[in-house]
Amino acid sequence: MDRNILKTGIINLVALLAIAVASQFVAQFSGCLTAQISVFYLTVGVLVAAVSAFQMRLANRERIEQLELSELKRSASAAALFDSTEAELYPARRAREQFDRFFVPGFALLLLILLGLAVYVSWPWTGKSLGPQIPKATITMALTALFSLILFLLGKYSAGVARLEGQRLLQPSASALLMGSVCCLLITLAEAAAWFGFPLVDRWTSRLLILILGLVALEMAVSLILEIYRPRVKGQATRLLYESRLIGLLGQPGGLITTAAQALDYQFGFKVSETWFYQFLEKALAWLILLQLGVLALSTTIVIVEPNEQALLERLGKPVAGRNVLESGLHFKWLWPIDIAYKYSTREVHTFYVGFVPDPEADKERLLLWTRPHYEQEFNLLVASRETVASSSTSPQTDQAVPVNLLAVNIPIQYQIRDLVSWAYQHSNGADLLDKIANREVVRYLVNVDIEAIMTTGRLKAADAIRERIQAQVDQNKLGVEILFVGLQSIHPPVAVAPAYEEVIGALQEKETNILGAQAYWIEKIPLAYADATNLVTRAKSDGLTKVTTAAADAGQFRNQMLAYSASPQVFRQRSYLETLVQAVRPARKYVLATTNTTEIIWLNLEDKLRTDLLDVTVPKPR
Amino acid sequence: MKRNPITLVTAGILALIFALMLFTFQVRQTEIAVVTTFGKFSRDITAPGFNWRLPWPIQRIYKFDNRIQNFEKKFEQTTTHDAINILITVYAGWRVVNPRLYLESLNGDSVKAEQTLEPLIRNAKNGVISQYRFGELISTNQADLKFDQIETNMLATVRPAASSTYGIEVAFVGIKQVGLPESITTKVFDRMKAERQTRVKQYQTDGEKAARIIRAEADSQANQIMADAKAKVIEITGNAEARASEYYKVLDQNPELANFLFQRNALEQSLKEKATLILDQQTPPFNMMGGQGAGITHSSPLK
């Protein structure tokens, strides 16, 4: 019998290996993501089956060794043999014990690491997969269905054998076979779903398998930890740590209760499965699950539409007459898939951007300058120019004089869905079309407007005009949208040209500075001129008045002097002369030559005396 | 053998669901469908609702989105009639109008449909754009622009082929973006900078000119004010002289005395500053030093 389970174990190993290799080819052939993840399950199954087969071989050797020793014990002539140590007597048992003690936990740890890595590496694949290739789906389905059948039959047989006394080493490979069968069935279903137009099923199935891989890894980690604290009952066989209960459960869902009971009994060391609660749960579980499924089905008859939403209700694909649009609140409908409600966020104000791609990091900046890029991407749009540039070039390929300007325009556009039926039923991607229409209208507006106008006085007018144009196009295309706001939040020359624009502003300021300087000169010059003029005139008036007054006084004095003079001309003259002389010559140096009738020559040095040295400086008196 | 009722109910429900899945299908409001029997076209379904079918693999159902689907392709360089290179992005909206033809010609694959439409649209775009001048794409003059005409012509070029060959109706074609190649963009930047430099010079010159004019006007006005003031001064001085001379007429009554007084004043004024006098004994009053009696004189320098 033992030889038979070893043989079965090896057959299981070979079957798993062959189907794993074949599944790898199928996965590459079909592009099915579920198949790729299943190959990993099968590979893990191969490893588990190989270790399980090796362990069976050790157990087999131990049994033979036990038989041989029992035979020897009965032979008295071999008494010396019993003096040997136990290790020498039971090498096969010792080898099996060493295997159980070191290799099995080590292998379980290795599996844990492999599973963890598989989850980490394979999860990102699921987002990139293009889905199964529809034309190859039929072959894939046929092959995987066959694999599933083979694995199921082998697995079911092995699981049956493993339940027999002393055959439990076959259980891990049986579980691997049955799980492999489930995986192959899932591949078939995913391919079928893709065939029927549901390619996303493949992605979700593969994600489910990866999730189960993660759970198996978690289970193994917990098992390894719990194994340390498990109470050891003498004579009780130790559990195979590399065998996953979850895999066993998924491979044989019918054994859910049994598996759970075995796990509890094993872990707590007494018969948890004999308690009343456990037995009640076992009996009522089917009802509970059915009840839950019923509740799940009933839950599809209720639709709750949120305040910002509306929903389209369809019955067997057709809009339900009279209540095809559900407003916010609670609504009842038939079971899925008879009635299906599709919710849309209609009352929410949506925003998109024309001319730039917002950069969340740059949005934190408090200063936006033309000379620095302030969005992740800014597109330069063509703007017409009134100036005409004559192209004199003979080679247009190398030198094209284009009478246009480039402008960076940042326009946020906000809209709301007003007519849900049009929005949902007219266009497969209304938001994308709206973006295209908005871009078109902005481009069309800019190619027909002068750069100076759009950057200055025409700015507000431009925003209104663009909004009206977009709304007109939206209505024409029956998008069911109202454009709420179009903002020209920023219009500026491209970053490369912005410094030149700033220079113009600088030059304008310079011009104003020059003019203001000249005006300051004027303001200073003219009043001063008025002041000088007034001064001159005033002084002239004053001088004139002085002159007239003096003349009047002189005339009066002269009349008086005439009286004195006519009284005694000689005396008057002499007196007047001497009085004047006394006053006049007072400050003058005077030399009087008193000698008369001489022939002497008198030299008078009339030069001013020069200062000879510093000692001649008159020092002021101290105060 | 006693049968579990739950098992029977569950089996019945599952069997019913399975049967419904095998023998029925729905077509949504947004869909149209084609039914094939053993690979051969059986019927197309353009109205939404519930439908019967034979199970796979006898019958297969192909469902297509019947709404307008948009796509746009590359920002591509092309040439206008006046040989100006531009970049242009065109978008298009299409929908399936003949599902059988769509299935047969494009395998019902929307990605393939867009890949197939792309060369048609590029061909139409390049062909139509080459018939128009650059000024008909970009101009401040509304009458020059031919945007609508260009789009209409592109649509007219694409639509018949798409409809007759692929079962697709191209609903619209629009120009999303117009740009210039990088080499020309650089030149436009250079021209924009040069244009700005012209303005810089203009503003600087205007400022200098205005400042000089203001200064010159200020100088002129100040000079005018001073000139007026000086004229006034002359007038005032003249008037004063005239009025003073009226008073001085009295001097004519005794010219001898007047001359004496003028001389005396002149003497007084001329000796005010630093002066040195060398006098002899003949000069009164120093003639008294020669022994002559005080107050007795025989001559006077002013005589």
Side-chain angles (χ1 to χ4, degrees):
Chain A
M1 187 70 181
D2 286 334
R3 283 186 178 278
N4 285 342
I5 72 156
L6 179 59
K7 194 176 164 186
T8 310
I10 290 169
I11 289 170
N12 290 351
L13 172 63
V14 172
L16 275 167
L17 185 62
I19 288 174
V21 172
S23 298
Q24 174 61 34
F25 284 113
V26 168
Q28 285 181 352
F29 168 75
S30 65
C32 176
L33 201 57
T34 308
Q36 290 169 25
I37 305 299
S38 297
V39 168
F40 187 80
Y41 272 90
L42 289 165
T43 308
V44 169
V46 169
L47 291 174
V48 167
V51 172
S52 167
F54 188 73
Q55 206 170 0
M56 283 179 217
R57 190 166 174 275
L58 289 177
N60 200 28
R61 280 181 56 200
E62 187 185 356
R63 190 185 59 78
I64 292 166
E65 182 185 76
Q66 190 67 40
L67 284 173
E68 285 171 351
L69 278 173
S70 301
E71 194 66 30
L72 284 173
K73 271 183 186 174
R74 282 196 288 274
S75 167
S77 59
L81 199 63
F82 294 102
D83 295 336
S84 304
T85 59
E86 191 168 308
E88 289 168 338
L89 287 175
Y90 302 102
R93 189 171 81 185
R94 183 167 174 73
R96 198 265 306 157
E97 284 174 353
Q98 294 292 323
F99 184 86
D100 284 354
R101 183 176 298 167
F102 298 110
F103 186 84
V104 170
F107 178 64
L109 190 64
L110 177 73
L111 273 186
L112 170 64
I113 294 166
L114 275 176
L115 291 169
L117 279 175
V119 172
Y120 180 74
V121 172
S122 58
W123 186 265
W125 293 354
T126 58
K128 297 171 188 168
S129 168
L130 297 173
Q133 295 182 30
I134 308 292
K136 296 171 180 173
T138 46
I139 301 172
T140 309
M141 281 192 283
L143 283 173
T144 50
L146 180 65
F147 295 161
S148 178
L149 183 65
I150 294 167
L151 291 171
F152 178 75
L153 291 175
L154 280 173
K156 205 68 188 166
Y157 169 73
S158 301
V161 173
R163 285 198 198 97
L164 299 175
E165 183 69 25
Q167 311 295 330
R168 57 180 298 281
L169 284 175
L170 203 56
Q171 185 58 46
S173 63
S175 296
L177 284 165
L178 289 170
M179 187 64 204
S181 170
V182 171
C183 285
C184 288
L185 187 65
L186 286 175
I187 300 170
T188 313
L189 292 174
E191 288 285 339
W195 177 268
F196 283 107
F198 300 100
L200 283 179
V201 172
D202 177 45
R203 181 180 295 179
W204 290 110
T205 312
S206 62
R207 283 185 175 169
L208 178 69
L209 285 177
I210 294 170
L211 195 66
I212 292 168
L213 273 183
L215 289 174
V216 171
L218 189 67
E219 182 209 347
M220 283 203 164
V222 172
S223 295
L224 280 169
I225 294 163
L226 290 179
E227 183 63 19
I228 299 165
Y229 303 105
R230 181 181 65 82
R232 262 64 179 177
V233 179
K234 196 170 181 182
Q236 187 188 38
T238 53
R239 189 176 159 268
L240 301 173
L241 285 175
Y242 57 84
E243 184 195 1
S244 164
R245 289 193 185 100
L246 187 61
I247 293 278
L249 179 67
L250 292 169
Q252 294 170 281
L256 174 68
I257 306 296
T258 315
T259 309
Q262 283 171 358
L264 290 169
D265 293 350
Y266 179 76
Q267 196 59 48
F268 291 103
F270 67 95
K271 293 285 181 185
V272 177
S273 56
E274 288 177 4
T275 60
W276 72 268
F277 177 74
Y278 182 84
Q279 287 180 352
F280 165 75
L281 199 66
E282 189 175 344
K283 283 178 190 167
L285 190 64
W287 282 106
L288 289 174
I289 291 172
L290 201 63
L291 182 68
Q292 196 149 10
L293 286 173
V295 170
L296 187 69
L298 281 175
S299 71
T300 65
T301 62
I302 295 170
V303 184
I304 295 172
V305 182
E306 299 295 330
N308 61 330
E309 292 176 335
Q310 283 179 308
L312 288 174
L313 183 62
E314 289 179 8
R315 181 164 300 154
L316 297 171
K318 283 183 188 173
V320 179
R323 57 190 294 246
N324 58 333
V325 177
L326 303 178
E327 297 298 332
S328 54
L330 177 69
H331 301 273
F332 295 97
K333 68 179 185 67
W334 285 101
L335 289 173
W336 181 90
I338 299 167
D339 275 6
I340 302 176
Y342 299 89
K343 292 183 189 175
Y344 293 86
S345 180
T346 53
R347 293 194 177 88
E348 188 181 332
V349 175
H350 303 270
T351 304
F352 66 98
Y353 304 95
V354 173
F356 71 106
V357 177
D359 181 0
E361 284 303 312
D363 282 351
K364 292 174 188 166
E365 284 190 22
R366 299 176 67 85
L367 182 64
L368 298 179
L369 295 173
W370 289 4
T371 48
R372 257 192 355 227
H374 37 268
Y375 295 110
E376 190 181 333
Q377 265 185 302
E378 276 187 304
F379 309 111
N380 294 326
L381 302 180
L382 286 180
V383 184
S385 178
R386 284 216 172 87
E387 58 176 319
T388 51
V389 180
S391 174
S392 59
S393 171
T394 53
S395 170
Q397 295 298 324
T398 54
D399 183 16
Q400 297 182 38
V402 183
V404 293
N405 293 289
L406 290 160
L407 211 55
V409 183
N410 311 143
I411 305 177
I413 297 174
Q414 295 174 356
Y415 69 95
Q416 232 176 2
I417 299 167
R418 291 289 189 212
D419 180 358
L420 179 58
V421 174
S422 295
W423 174 260
Y425 290 148
Q426 291 292 329
H427 298 271
S428 64
N429 191 344
D432 180 56
L433 179 60
L434 182 56
D435 178 68
K436 288 176 171 52
I437 287 173
N439 269 284
R440 173 183 185 262
E441 293 310 319
V442 169
V443 166
R444 286 196 61 169
Y445 187 83
L446 290 180
V447 296
N448 187 220
V449 70
D450 184 61
I451 187 167
E452 296 295 328
I454 187 81
M455 286 182 71
T456 53
T457 52
R459 201 174 170 124
L460 280 176
K461 186 184 151 200
D464 287 342
I466 290 171
R467 194 185 65 75
E468 283 166 14
R469 286 178 178 211
I470 294 172
Q471 187 65 61
Q473 280 296 312
V474 160
D475 294 343
Q476 190 183 326
N477 285 283
K478 294 178 182 168
L479 262 174
V481 158
E482 183 183 352
I483 305 297
L484 301 174
F485 171 73
V486 172
L488 292 185
Q489 68 176 21
S490 177
I491 299 180
H492 60 85
V495 173
V497 189
Y501 272 75
E502 290 186 348
E503 276 181 43
V504 174
I505 298 163
L508 194 60
Q509 294 305 311
E510 201 178 321
K511 172 187 169 184
E512 292 302 319
T513 305
N514 265 339
I515 291 172
L516 286 171
Q519 283 174 346
Y521 177 79
W522 191 93
I523 287 167
E524 184 187 7
K525 186 83 179 177
I526 300 303
L528 284 179
Y530 273 115
D532 288 347
T534 307
N535 190 27
L536 271 180
V537 171
T538 309
R539 196 184 298 159
K541 282 179 181 172
S542 171
D543 290 349
L545 188 62
T546 304
K547 188 169 276 183
V548 171
T549 310
T550 306
D554 285 348
Q557 187 185 24
F558 188 76
R559 283 190 197 93
N560 292 331
Q561 283 171 336
M562 272 199 308
L563 291 174
Y565 184 77
S566 59
S568 175
Q570 185 64 31
V571 172
F572 178 83
R573 288 172 66 174
Q574 190 65 27
R575 180 177 55 85
S576 183
Y577 164 71
L578 290 174
E579 282 174 359
T580 302
L581 188 68
V582 168
Q583 291 298 322
V585 304
R586 187 170 290 156
R589 284 193 292 179
K590 299 170 276 287
Y591 297 87
V592 180
L593 302 179
T595 55
T596 56
N597 302 322
T598 62
T599 57
E600 290 176 13
I601 297 170
I602 299 168
W603 292 88
L604 296 175
N605 184 5
L606 300 179
E607 288 179 355
D608 286 336
K609 185 183 178 186
L610 294 174
R611 198 169 64 200
T612 53
D613 55 40
L614 288 171
L615 293 175
D616 293 340
V617 175
T618 309
V619 179
K621 290 179 181 177
R623 291 181 182 178
Chain B
M1 188 176 169
K2 189 183 176 185
R3 292 193 178 275
N4 188 345
I6 302 172
T7 312
L8 286 174
V9 169
T10 309
I13 291 170
L14 286 175
L16 181 64
I17 291 170
F18 190 62
L20 284 172
M21 283 176 71
L22 282 177
F23 289 96
T24 66
F25 68 100
Q26 288 183 20
V27 175
R28 277 195 70 198
Q29 174 78 12
T30 57
E31 293 172 333
I32 49 176
V34 172
V35 182
T36 61
T37 308
F38 292 117
K40 195 176 174 186
F41 173 80
S42 292
R43 66 185 197 275
D44 54 19
I45 300 162
T46 53
F50 175 83
N51 295 277
W52 293 100
R53 59 170 289 183
L54 290 173
W56 178 84
I58 300 167
Q59 281 195 333
R60 281 194 64 181
I61 313 299
Y62 299 89
K63 292 181 189 172
F64 312 122
D65 196 331
N66 69 350
R67 296 173 296 179
I68 295 175
Q69 301 179 58
N70 326 301
F71 84 104
E72 71 174 63
K73 288 295 172 183
K74 302 168 185 85
F75 198 28
E76 190 188 14
Q77 192 163 345
T78 188
T79 310
T80 60
H81 185 67
D82 45 357
I84 290 178
N85 292 337
I86 58 168
L87 293 168
I88 196 160
T89 309
V90 168
Y91 67 93
W94 63 277
R95 70 171 148 216
V96 181
V97 287
N98 186 339
R100 181 181 178 180
L101 192 54
Y102 179 66
L103 176 66
E104 288 169 355
S105 59
L106 297 168
N107 204 20
D109 184 356
S110 62
V111 176
K112 194 173 176 184
E114 291 182 356
Q115 285 170 350
T116 309
L117 275 178
E118 185 190 355
L120 293 181
I121 289 173
R122 282 179 63 190
N123 177 55
K125 174 183 70 181
N126 294 333
V128 172
I129 292 288
S130 66
Q131 292 171 12
Y132 289 86
R133 289 180 293 103
F134 185 72
E136 289 169 330
L137 281 165
I138 299 166
S139 171
T140 51
N141 187 359
Q142 179 70 38
D144 289 345
L145 283 183
K146 300 283 172 57
F147 246 79
D148 288 333
Q149 198 177 337
I150 290 168
E151 287 175 348
T152 308
N153 286 351
M154 281 196 268
L155 183 60
T157 310
V158 173
R159 190 173 254 175
S163 177
S164 62
T165 316
Y166 309 114
I168 285 173
E169 181 202 27
V170 179
F172 52 79
V173 174
I175 295 171
K176 185 186 171 190
Q177 204 176 353
V178 182
L180 295 170
E182 196 175 348
S183 60
I184 302 174
T185 301
T186 313
K187 287 179 182 176
V188 171
F189 284 168
D190 291 344
R191 191 188 57 71
M192 287 174 78
K193 285 179 194 169
E195 189 264 335
R196 292 290 111 182
Q197 278 304 315
T198 310
R199 293 203 177 200
V200 167
K201 290 290 174 200
Q202 186 187 337
Y203 282 136
Q204 285 172 341
T205 313
D206 284 353
E208 192 61 38
K209 175 185 157 191
R212 286 189 188 185
I213 288 171
I214 291 168
R215 282 196 177 90
E217 282 176 354
D219 287 341
S220 167
Q221 198 171 340
N223 289 340
Q224 182 66 46
I225 291 164
M226 289 306 290
D228 290 348
K230 282 173 184 169
K232 186 87 176 170
V233 165
I234 290 166
E235 186 189 340
I236 290 167
T237 308
N239 286 338
E241 288 284 352
R243 287 177 63 196
S245 63
E246 289 296 320
Y247 289 108
Y248 284 126
K249 281 180 182 171
V250 75
L251 298 180
D252 285 342
Q253 293 177 13
N254 192 341
E256 189 181 357
L257 176 60
N259 286 335
F260 169 73
L261 290 173
F262 288 147
Q263 283 181 10
R264 192 191 68 179
N265 284 340
L267 177 67
E268 191 176 4
Q269 293 298 321
S270 61
L271 290 176
K272 265 186 179 173
E273 298 300 323
K274 205 159 113 182
T276 301
L277 290 175
I278 301 169
L279 305 166
D280 61 11
Q281 286 183 333
Q282 303 301 315
T283 306
F286 303 104
N287 55 357
M288 293 177 75
M289 292 169 71
Q292 294 176 12
I296 302 168
T297 182
H298 60 277
S299 65
S300 169
L302 299 174
K303 197 172 181 178

